[in-house]
Each structure stands twice: as structure tokens, then as C-alpha cells.
Amino acid sequence: MLSKAATVLLLRDGDDEFEVFMVKRPAESAGFANALVFPGGRLDDVDAQIDAMAPWCRRPAGISDDDMAHRICGIRETFEEACILLARQRGKDTIIGGEQAAQITHRYRKRLHSGEIGLAEIAQREDLEFACDLLVPFAHWITPEGRPRRFDTRFFLAPAPAEQIAAHDDIELVESTWTSPARAIADADAGLWTVVFVTRANLLKLADAGSIPEAFARAQAAPIVAISPSVERVEGGSIFRIPANAG
């Protein structure tokens, strides 16, 4: 079965290079065990209830309902897994600040994670509007055929709100870090982290940009290619092949 999913690459300026927020899956995780990944997860049924979510989302012009559902999923997963809430007070143009985000996190994060409450109810109670317009499509990956768990995953770039503090959830994750794309790759090559093929490929793509504005400009200008790698088993491992025009 092919499950839809969304992943968000949160970006911020570092001391020398821009950085992306990454989280580590636990050893017992059903997927990507012990791996360093970006916050994200499976699209829930409520994420696709576009009419119910519409009053609480700032929707970019011209996008499909499917795209919108993935953006809602990405915002929910980013809140659950990274403690970052991409939302505005209704009628405002700025993302909510750190203190307000911390209060909302304290009240709702665990309840949202457990399914006790939904994004729409949180927005209604706190008079919020989710910033779906801030997410920029970056990549689209589909798990190769023949795997027991397959995902059709949309990757988005998003600016990390300056006043909010990212932190992993200690439920589905065991560690987190801000790192430059190049440093994440180097640390993986040195054996400090486990980075799976799809994550590495997206880090390499992100590392081509010299700044956050350039990363967003490249993502907005490039067509999104659906990538479903072919896998060739060879002695000592596997060779993954992806389209030449995948970026």
C-alpha cells in the first residue's frame, strides 16, 4: 500500500552557513531506524478535510486540494515533531512568537500527537491561521516498488520562525540538531549519523544553494519531478538510480 506523507525542511541562518533542522528516529522505529531525517510523517484523514480546514489556513493561489492536504500535514508534523508552529494570529502577517508558541505547545502538542484534538480545533481556540503559504515544494519521492512500507512523500522548504525554539518530541524521536546540509553529509560519511539515500539526496540538492533566499528561489524555479528510484542489488549493497532531471 502506498501511503501519502509530507516532510518539512526548516531553514535558518547559521554562523557561517544556513542550517536545516533534523531529527533522529529511535532504534525500534518501523521506518528509518536510527536515521537522521527531516520532520514529517503520514498524511492523516483529517489533513485532507480541506473544507473543514479552509477557515484556518492561508492557502496559496492556484494549488490543488492534494497539495493543500500535504501542506497541512507538513505543518502538523512539524508542530508534533519539531515544536515549531507555522501559524499566524488570524488577520496578522507575522508568524506567532516564541512565548505564544511555547504556550500553545504546552496546551496542545501531546494531545494533538495522541489524536485527542485536531489542528482545526486548536486554530479555533487560539484564533490561528496556519501558514500554508510559507511552504515551498522542494521534492517528491516515492518508495521503490517491492518494499513492505511504501510512501508517496512531498518535501517542502519553510523558514524557521526566528523566535520559536525547535526541539524533538521524545515520543517518535530521540535526538535533534541544526546542521548545514554539507556538514550533515560529512558527519554521515564519518559515521556520526545514519543518513538514508533519500535524505542524503535532498541534502545534496539543498547544499547547492549558498543561502536561504537562493534555496527558496531554486525550489520555486525548478519543476518538481516524482522520483521513484530503481534498485539494483549488487555485491556489498544496492545501487539506486533516479531520473537525471530530478535536480
Side-chain angles (χ1 to χ4, degrees), residues 72-115:
I72 292 169
C73 174
I75 287 174
R76 177 182 54 75
E77 289 284 346
T78 300
F79 182 50
E80 290 180 3
E81 293 196 347
C83 201
I84 294 293
L85 183 56
L86 298 172
R88 305 176 177 95
Q89 211 68 52
R90 282 169 60 84
K92 303 293 185 179
D93 291 327
T94 56
I95 297 298
I96 61 173
E99 183 176 349
Q100 183 180 5
Q103 292 172 353
I104 293 172
T105 296
H106 178 72
R107 285 194 287 266
Y108 303 114
R109 187 186 187 192
K110 288 184 178 179
R111 296 172 63 193
L112 178 66
H113 198 286
S114 67

Side-chain angles (χ1 to χ4, degrees), residues 16-143:
D16 300 313
E17 304 173 277
F18 75 88
E19 298 176 325
V20 60
F21 187 68
M22 303 190 72
V23 294
K24 184 180 178 182
R25 298 289 181 196
E28 63 274 15
S29 177
F32 301 150
N34 282 322
L36 197 66
V37 298
F38 310 112
R42 190 192 309 266
L43 192 146
D44 288 346
D45 290 341
V46 292
D47 298 327
Q49 294 174 1
I50 303 302
D51 290 343
M53 289 297 300
W56 316 110
C57 295
R58 189 170 298 187
R59 178 172 181 162
I63 70 169
S64 67
D65 285 353
D66 186 60
D67 187 346
M68 188 64 177
H70 282 86
R71 290 171 190 245
I72 292 169
C73 174
I75 287 174
R76 177 182 54 75
E77 289 284 346
T78 300
F79 182 50
E80 290 180 3
E81 293 196 347
C83 201
I84 294 293
L85 183 56
L86 298 172
R88 305 176 177 95
Q89 211 68 52
R90 282 169 60 84
K92 303 293 185 179
D93 291 327
T94 56
I95 297 298
I96 61 173
E99 183 176 349
Q100 183 180 5
Q103 292 172 353
I104 293 172
T105 296
H106 178 72
R107 285 194 287 266
Y108 303 114
R109 187 186 187 192
K110 288 184 178 179
R111 296 172 63 193
L112 178 66
H113 198 286
S114 67
E116 181 184 343
I117 195 171
L119 277 183
E121 187 175 353
I122 295 173
Q124 185 174 17
R125 291 185 179 190
E126 300 293 330
D127 197 28
L128 297 177
E129 184 178 53
F130 297 113
C132 297
D133 56 311
L134 289 185
L135 274 63
V136 174
F138 181 69
H140 180 189
W141 286 75
I142 302 170
T143 308

Side-chain angles (χ1 to χ4, degrees), residues 90-214:
R90 282 169 60 84
K92 303 293 185 179
D93 291 327
T94 56
I95 297 298
I96 61 173
E99 183 176 349
Q100 183 180 5
Q103 292 172 353
I104 293 172
T105 296
H106 178 72
R107 285 194 287 266
Y108 303 114
R109 187 186 187 192
K110 288 184 178 179
R111 296 172 63 193
L112 178 66
H113 198 286
S114 67
E116 181 184 343
I117 195 171
L119 277 183
E121 187 175 353
I122 295 173
Q124 185 174 17
R125 291 185 179 190
E126 300 293 330
D127 197 28
L128 297 177
E129 184 178 53
F130 297 113
C132 297
D133 56 311
L134 289 185
L135 274 63
V136 174
F138 181 69
H140 180 189
W141 286 75
I142 302 170
T143 308
E145 293 185 10
R147 299 300 174 93
R149 302 173 77 243
R150 299 185 66 222
F151 293 93
D152 182 332
T153 306
R154 308 299 176 99
F155 291 77
F156 297 92
L157 302 184
E163 296 182 10
Q164 296 187 33
I165 299 175
H168 60 280
D169 64 5
D170 281 326
I171 300 174
E172 293 183 347
L173 309 165
V174 294
E175 200 170 342
S176 59
T177 185
W178 283 101
T179 180
S180 72
R183 189 163 67 248
I185 294 168
D187 286 348
D189 289 344
L192 301 179
W193 300 106
T194 297
V195 173
V196 297
F197 176 72
V198 60
T199 306
R200 184 184 184 91
N202 281 310
L203 286 168
L204 287 167
K205 181 179 178 181
L206 191 59
D208 283 340
S211 66
I212 291 177
E214 184 181 349

